Amino acid sequence: MINFIHSILGFKKLSPPQKIALSFLLVIFTGTLLLTLPISTNSGTFFHPLDALFIATSATCVTGLTTFTIADTFNIFGQVVLLLLIQIGGLGLMTLMAMLLVLSKHKLSVNEKKVMKEMLNKEHMLDMKRYILDILKYTLCFEFAGACLLSFQMIPQYGLAQGIFHSIFLAVSAFCNAGFDVFGSNSLQAYVHNPLICITVMILIILGGLGFAVWFDLRDHLIPFLTRKITFKKFKKSLSLHTRIVLIVTMILIFGAGLMFILLEWQNLNTIGTFTLPEKIMTVIFESVALRTAGFTSIQYSTLTPSTSLLMMVVMFIGGSPGGAAGGIKTTTMAIVVMYIVHMLKGKEQMIICKRAIKKEIVIRAMGIFFINLFTLFVGIFLLTIVEPHGFIELCFEAVSALATVGSTLGITAQLTMLGKIIIILMMYIGRIGIATLIISLARPKSSSDASNKVSFPNGNIIVG
């Protein structure tokens, strides 16, 4: 088995982006096959292949969109398959394969390390073995702790066996930012005023969305601060620029979006209008955390005001942070795009963030990711408006949710046509592996003998603006 996995990871004819793209396809089609079988369904009959493909893609791409109610459709076997797809999709098949190789004391080759570097958005390949084992250790610890906390509610409500399974499923789904649950068609709306469920799920979502690099950076510098070996000021300076940007943007999105949400929905009797102030605060913070990438909801989204729906689309498009289970263009990408615009308006040639100069290559990559995702979103919405009879806001929301792998919906997922489902499937897949990874995996590798690599062309002038 290990040799088989090694042969897959060491397949030299494929580039790292191609391996990542194909690994997700492999998981999706395997999941589709298993979910189609009668052994997975409550009815004991074959499940519709397109719907099985939709849910398998949604689970593997940790999105959360579904065309049916999981608890009513799948038995315990089907739900376990979904749970495995979520876990594999959250960490990535290549990461799990590398973990198996490391645990079997196999030494990762340079080619395998390149795949992992691309998969995990890691800067360098140093200590890759330790890095992968740390990911496994912390993932299991976070999910186990979350499941234990959730079990205090689930076991009394559902009994021992079912309560434990519900706790594990919800913890894994929350940490992987998947948004799936096995409670029914109303997500977590029954627990809207339950602090234990809401706070635990929020923490798991945030931990899964911060990214592995941020965890380890905080771990390495938080212990000296807690033991009072360094001051808070020194602790802040000791964090990497990446970690500081991720934490700052994450806090702005959570509390900024929460503030806007509570102002826009304050008097909406269908959402939070009848809640007390503490209940409103907990609900809007939960929604601002979940809507960025997780897809859980404690209120009915179809009753939101149009302005709130638009705000949510912006936050979903940004998403979480690199190197984790979150989707979207990522917090760091958005930060660089905004800071670039600010520097450009000020007439500054060099981009400075937190007293650090940002390389032009990073700015170009961030701008490329932003605009390519925006274009992809436009194409997806355009195609949906052609094949779907639903309202424009609903289709825009569905498209953003799919591309950003969020899983939130205004209630039209189950009503999508066959072509609409295929469009959403493609958008979920593109959103999970990353548009840049997809383009690179499909592109023809450049030859070192290409004449364009050796010729310098004269500068051209184009008037813009």
Side-chain angles (χ1 to χ4, degrees):
M1 179 65 180
I2 296 299
N3 290 332
F4 172 70
I5 294 172
H6 179 225
S7 67
I8 294 176
L9 275 175
F11 193 48
K12 296 181 180 180
K13 292 184 179 180
L14 296 178
S15 65
Q18 289 174 328
K19 291 179 180 179
I20 293 170
L22 289 175
S23 69
F24 276 97
L25 282 178
L26 174 64
V27 176
I28 289 170
F29 286 116
T30 302
T32 301
L33 177 62
L34 291 173
L35 294 176
T36 305
L37 299 176
I39 193 176
S40 298
T41 63
N42 287 323
S43 63
T45 58
F46 283 98
F47 192 59
H48 194 284
L50 181 59
D51 284 327
L53 176 61
F54 190 100
I55 189 69
T57 304
S58 185
T60 306
C61 298
V62 289
T63 305
L65 291 174
T66 177
T67 55
F68 47 84
T69 304
I70 293 173
D72 297 336
T73 306
F74 292 123
N75 57 26
I76 187 66
F77 178 81
Q79 291 175 19
V80 169
V81 171
L82 276 178
L83 181 63
L84 293 174
L85 291 177
I86 292 168
Q87 187 71 86
I88 294 171
L91 293 177
L93 178 62
M94 307 305 288
T95 306
L96 292 175
M97 285 181 170
M99 287 177 183
L100 288 176
L101 292 175
V102 169
L103 291 173
S104 68
K105 298 182 180 180
H106 166 77
K107 187 176 181 180
L108 295 177
S109 66
V110 174
N111 191 40
E112 292 165 354
K113 289 180 179 180
K114 285 180 180 179
V115 176
M116 298 314 303
K117 175 176 175 288
E118 185 81 20
M119 183 76 201
L120 300 171
N121 283 312
K122 200 172 183 292
E123 278 188 54
H124 49 73
M125 296 186 292
L126 300 176
D127 297 324
M128 186 64 75
K129 181 177 179 179
R130 181 186 173 188
Y131 192 80
I132 291 171
L133 288 176
D134 281 346
I135 290 173
L136 176 63
K137 179 174 67 176
Y138 280 93
T139 296
L140 294 177
C141 285
F142 290 144
E143 291 177 348
F144 177 76
C148 288
L149 290 172
L150 294 169
S151 66
F152 285 104
Q153 171 66 39
M154 298 300 163
I155 291 177
Q157 184 176 351
Y158 294 99
L160 183 61
Q162 195 174 8
I164 290 174
F165 179 75
H166 279 22
S167 300
I168 294 172
F169 193 102
L170 184 56
V172 172
S173 181
F175 180 78
C176 292
N177 286 208
F180 282 99
D181 62 77
V182 287
F183 302 123
S185 60
N186 295 320
S187 189
L188 301 183
Q189 293 174 35
Y191 305 102
V192 62
H193 302 315
N194 188 316
L196 175 64
I197 299 296
C198 289
I199 293 174
T200 302
V201 170
M202 276 193 289
I203 292 173
L204 288 170
I205 292 170
I206 292 171
L207 288 172
L210 284 178
F212 308 123
V214 175
W215 296 354
F216 303 142
D217 192 26
L218 287 172
R219 174 201 62 185
D220 295 339
H221 297 98
L222 195 58
I223 295 176
F225 168 67
L226 294 176
T227 55
R228 298 185 178 180
K229 292 181 180 179
I230 58 174
T231 62
F232 180 69
K233 186 177 181 180
K234 196 168 184 180
F235 165 70
K236 287 195 300 181
K237 289 184 177 180
S238 65
L239 296 175
S240 68
L241 178 62
H242 172 82
T243 299
R244 280 182 278 175
I245 291 177
V246 166
L247 293 177
I248 290 170
V249 177
T250 298
M251 290 300 103
I252 291 174
L253 288 174
I254 291 175
F255 295 107
L259 178 60
M260 292 293 294
F261 194 107
I262 200 170
L263 292 175
L264 293 170
E265 295 293 321
W266 184 272
Q267 295 182 325
N268 188 345
L269 299 179
N270 295 316
T271 54
I272 64 172
T274 59
F275 295 178
T276 64
L277 181 59
E279 290 171 347
K280 285 180 178 179
I281 292 173
M282 185 172 73
T283 302
V284 298
I285 294 299
F286 179 87
E287 295 301 331
S288 66
V289 169
L291 69 87
R292 283 176 50 226
T293 181
F296 293 109
T297 174
S298 58
I299 58 175
Q300 185 60 255
Y301 278 3
S302 60
T303 59
L304 293 169
T305 62
S307 53
T308 305
S309 298
L310 181 59
L311 170 68
M312 293 174 73
M313 282 187 265
V314 174
V315 178
M316 286 193 295
F317 184 72
I318 297 172
S321 303
I329 62 170
K330 305 297 188 292
T331 52
T332 48
T333 301
M334 195 66 209
I336 291 173
V337 170
V338 171
M339 292 304 297
Y340 173 76
I341 294 172
V342 171
H343 280 71
M344 182 184 69
L345 293 175
K346 290 182 177 180
K348 295 182 179 180
E349 292 185 3
Q350 192 175 35
M351 185 171 162
I352 308 295
I353 300 179
C354 297
K355 298 181 180 180
R356 295 289 187 274
I358 307 301
K359 294 179 181 178
K360 188 177 292 185
E361 292 82 3
I362 296 176
V363 177
I364 293 172
R365 180 178 175 84
M367 297 296 286
I369 291 172
F370 179 82
F371 285 107
I372 292 174
N373 274 273
L374 203 60
F375 177 75
T376 304
L377 179 61
F378 170 80
V379 172
I381 294 172
F382 177 73
L383 293 175
L384 285 174
T385 57
I386 295 174
V387 301
E388 293 294 331
H390 305 289
F392 183 69
I393 292 292
E394 286 80 4
L395 293 176
C396 288
F397 198 97
E398 199 81 5
V400 176
S401 181
L403 186 64
T405 67
V406 176
S408 298
T409 178
L410 295 182
I412 67 169
T413 310
Q415 304 164 28
L416 292 173
T417 62
M418 183 182 71
L419 290 176
K421 290 176 183 178
I422 293 172
I423 293 169
I424 294 297
I425 287 171
L426 291 173
M427 294 188 74
M428 289 190 291
Y429 176 70
I430 292 170
R432 182 62 183 102
I433 68 170
I435 188 67
T437 300
L438 180 64
I439 291 173
I440 294 172
S441 67
L442 296 176
R444 180 178 63 87
K446 285 187 177 180
S447 172
S448 57
S449 60
D450 194 337
S452 62
N453 294 330
K454 300 179 181 181
V455 177
S456 295
F457 294 93
N459 293 329
N461 185 41
I462 299 175
I463 300 173
V464 297

